[in-house]
C-alpha cells in the first residue's frame, strides 16, 4: 500500500467537560502534525445539532487550518449541499481557492448531515432539501465555478477560482452521479461498510472521462484507532462506539472518557450494535491496522484511503496517526 496516499478526515470531536473551542484547537494541532507526518490531505466534515462534533462550518475551519499549515491539501468531507444555496458555497470555496491556490478540495454531500428540523433551520425553505434537487443544485454550483453557461450572476470569488470538486456518498446515488460527471468519488466506508463495494462498482461502471479526470479516482474513508497494542486500541475506541449508539438513539452527547465508556451498562443488543459498527474498520496495533487497511485497499481497489479517528484525548488521536505514518513509511516532513 506504499503507493496509495493516506489522508485524514477529522470531525473536531468535543470531549465531555471541554469546549468546542478546545476541539477546534485540537483539530488545528492534528492538521499541523499530520502535515509533518506526510499525510496527503486533511478534510473536515459538516455536522449540525451534534454536541460531540464542532465542525459545523467547514469553510471557516478550512480557512483557519490553511493559515496554520503550508502544504497539506485541505477540504470538506463534506459540505452538505442541501443546507446551502449553491452561490454561497461557490463564493466561500472560491475565496479559499483564491487565497490558497492548488490546496483546496470541495467534497460535496447529498444528505443534510443533521436532522430535518435543523436542515430546515439552515436552509429556511424546503426548496432544495430533497434528493431529487441535488443534481440540479450541483450543476448550478459547478456553473458558478466554470461559467460554462453564463448567466446574470457571477460568483466573485468563484468563477475562475475552482477548488477540486469531489462527490461524497454512502450509497449508489452519488457514486453513479460522480461517474457520469467524471468527478473523483469518496465513499463513507466508516459508516456504510456494507455498501462500499457495490457503490464503487457503480462509480467505475458509469465513469465518463471529463476535463477533471481521464479515469476513475476513488477514495475510501475508514475508522482507524491505532495504539501500541490491540487491547489499548480497543479501549480507546470505546467512547466513539458509545457516542454513535447514543446518536442513533436520539440522545447525542459529547465524547466520554474511555473509563466511562467501559463502565457503561450496555444491553446485549447495544453491545451487538457497537460491534457491528466496527466491522470492516481498522483497529489495533500498527501491525493489525496495517493488515486491515491493506486488506481494505485490496478489496476496494481504492486509489486513496482516508482515515478518521474518534478518540477522547488529543494525545491519543495524534499518536494513532503517528503510528500509522511510521508503519506505512509515509514521507515524514514532506
Amino acid at each position: 500500500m506504499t503507493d496509495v496516499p493516506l489522508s485524514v478526515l477529522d470531525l473536531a470531536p468535543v470531549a465531555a467537560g471541554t469546549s468546542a473551542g478546545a476541539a477546534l484547537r485540537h483539530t488545528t494541532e492534528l492538521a499541523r502534525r499530520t502535515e509533518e507526518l506526510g499525510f496527503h490531505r486533511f478534510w473536515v466534515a459538516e455536522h449540525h445539532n451534534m454536541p460531540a462534533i464542532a465542525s459545523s462550518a467547514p469553510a471557516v475551519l478550512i480557512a483557519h487550518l490553511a493559515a496554520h499549515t503550508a502544504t497539506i491539501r485541505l477540504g470538506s468531507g463534506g459540505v452538505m449541499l442541501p443546507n446551502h444555496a449553491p452561490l454561497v458555497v461557490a463564493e466561500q470555496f472560491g475565496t479559499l481557492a483564491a487565497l490558497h491556490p492548488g490546496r483546496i478540495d470541495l467534497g460535496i454531500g447529498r444528505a443534510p448531515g443533521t436532522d430535518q428540523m435543523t436542515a430546515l433551520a439552515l436552509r429556511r425553505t424546503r426548496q432544495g432539501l430533497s434528493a431529487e434537487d441535488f443534481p440540479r443544485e450541483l450543476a448550478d454550483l459547478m456553473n458558478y465555478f466554470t461559467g460554462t453557461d453564463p448567466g446574470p450572476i457571477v460568483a466573485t470569488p468563484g468563477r475562475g477560482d475552482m477548488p477540486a470538486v469531489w462527490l461524497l456518498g454512502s450509497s449508489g446515488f452519488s457514486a453513479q452521479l460522480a461517474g457520469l460527471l467524471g468527478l473523483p468519488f469518496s465513499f463513507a466506508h466508516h459508516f456504510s461498510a456494507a455498501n462500499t463495494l457495490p457503490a464503487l462498482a457503480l462509480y467505475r461502471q458509469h465513469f465518463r472521462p471529463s476535463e477533471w479526470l481521464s479515469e476513475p479516482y476513488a477514495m475510501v474513508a475508514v475508522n482507524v484507532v491505532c495504539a501500541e497494542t490491540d487491547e489499548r486500541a480497543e479501549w480507546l475506541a470505546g467512547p466513539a462506539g458509545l457516542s454513535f449508539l447514543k446518536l442513533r438513539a436520539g440522545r447525542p452527547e459529547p465524547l466520554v472518557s474511555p473509563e466511562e465508556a467501559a463502565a457503561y451498562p450496555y444491553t446485549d443488543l447495544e453491545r451487538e450494535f457497537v460491534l457491528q459498527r466496527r466491522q470492516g474498520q481498522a483497529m489495533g496495533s500498527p501491525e493489525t491496522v496495517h493488515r486491515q487497511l491493506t486488506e481494505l485497499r485490496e478489496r476496494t481497489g481504492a486509489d486513496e484511503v482516508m482515515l478518521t479517528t474518534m478518540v477522547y484525548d488529543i494525545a491519543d488521536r495524534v499518536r494513532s496517526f503517528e503510528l500509522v505514518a511510521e508503519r506505512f513509511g509515509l514521507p515524514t516532513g514532506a
Side-chain angles (χ1 to χ4, degrees):
M1 236 182 86
T2 55
D3 60 332
V4 176
L6 295 181
S7 293
V8 181
L9 171 64
D10 194 67
L11 306 185
V14 181
T18 68
S19 66
L24 295 171
R25 287 191 292 274
H26 291 159
T27 290
T28 306
E29 178 183 342
L30 185 64
R32 287 171 172 160
R33 184 63 180 130
T34 51
E35 178 178 70
E36 293 171 350
L37 291 169
F39 285 87
H40 183 52
R41 67 182 91 236
F42 190 102
W43 283 5
V44 293
E46 178 184 351
H47 291 286
H48 301 278
N49 197 27
M50 295 185 186
I53 297 176
S55 57
S56 58
V60 178
L61 183 51
I62 291 166
H64 175 77
L65 297 176
H68 288 81
T69 56
T71 58
I72 196 168
R73 293 193 67 92
L74 298 163
S76 58
V79 161
M80 312 317 266
L81 190 55
N83 297 340
H84 312 282
L87 177 60
V88 172
V89 178
E91 290 176 338
Q92 289 177 344
F93 278 79
T95 299
L96 290 169
L99 288 169
H100 307 281
R103 290 186 64 201
I104 304 299
D105 300 326
L106 171 55
I108 301 169
R110 178 172 68 98
T114 187
D115 59 272
Q116 286 298 310
M117 182 179 296
T118 306
L120 185 58
L122 286 162
R123 192 69 181 242
R124 301 179 68 190
T125 173
R126 296 193 181 278
Q127 184 177 356
L129 287 176
S130 72
E132 291 73 21
D133 294 318
F134 181 76
R136 176 182 54 79
E137 298 225 317
L138 177 61
D140 289 345
L141 173 61
M142 298 294 282
N143 187 55
Y144 284 127
F145 287 127
T146 63
T148 303
D149 183 19
I153 300 173
V154 176
T156 308
R159 185 173 297 184
D161 293 301
M162 185 173 181
V165 176
W166 291 66
L167 286 195
L168 280 56
S170 58
S171 64
F173 182 94
S174 291
Q176 186 171 337
L177 184 59
L180 292 171
L181 296 177
L183 292 172
F185 177 61
S186 179
F187 187 81
H189 178 81
H190 57 305
F191 63 80
S192 187
N195 290 325
T196 304
L197 295 182
L200 293 178
L202 273 175
Y203 171 59
R204 292 168 179 137
Q205 174 189 342
H206 289 88
F207 184 84
R208 297 175 182 172
S210 69
E211 60 185 290
W212 300 289
L213 279 181
S214 59
E215 52 189 43
Y217 191 93
M219 180 163 64
V220 173
V222 56
N223 283 310
V224 175
V225 179
C226 191
E228 282 73 10
T229 65
D230 290 351
E231 293 75 19
R232 179 164 174 78
E234 178 87 16
W235 187 70
L236 292 174
L242 180 58
S243 177
F244 193 73
L245 175 66
K246 291 186 175 183
L247 175 64
R248 283 298 173 92
R251 297 180 285 110
E253 296 178 6
L255 213 59
V256 301
S257 69
E259 292 86 356
E260 290 176 275
Y264 182 81
Y266 290 95
T267 66
D268 290 343
L269 192 61
E270 288 173 336
R271 194 171 297 281
E272 179 63 23
F273 174 84
V274 171
L275 290 175
Q276 285 181 352
R277 174 165 163 74
R278 291 181 182 176
Q279 290 179 2
Q281 310 304 314
M283 182 187 308
S285 68
E287 286 302 322
T288 299
V289 168
H290 182 271
R291 173 176 51 79
Q292 292 168 332
L293 290 181
T294 300
E295 291 173 353
L296 175 65
R297 197 270 166 165
E298 290 173 349
R299 280 201 319 275
T300 62
D303 301 288
E304 188 169 338
V305 178
M306 178 166 272
L307 319 182
T308 182
T309 300
M310 286 278 282
V311 296
Y312 177 77
D313 191 276
I314 181 58
D316 292 317
R317 196 147 112 247
V318 170
R319 185 60 179 153
S320 180
F321 285 101
E322 289 175 341
L323 290 170
V324 170
E326 180 180 348
R327 181 60 187 83
F328 280 89
L330 295 190
T332 304

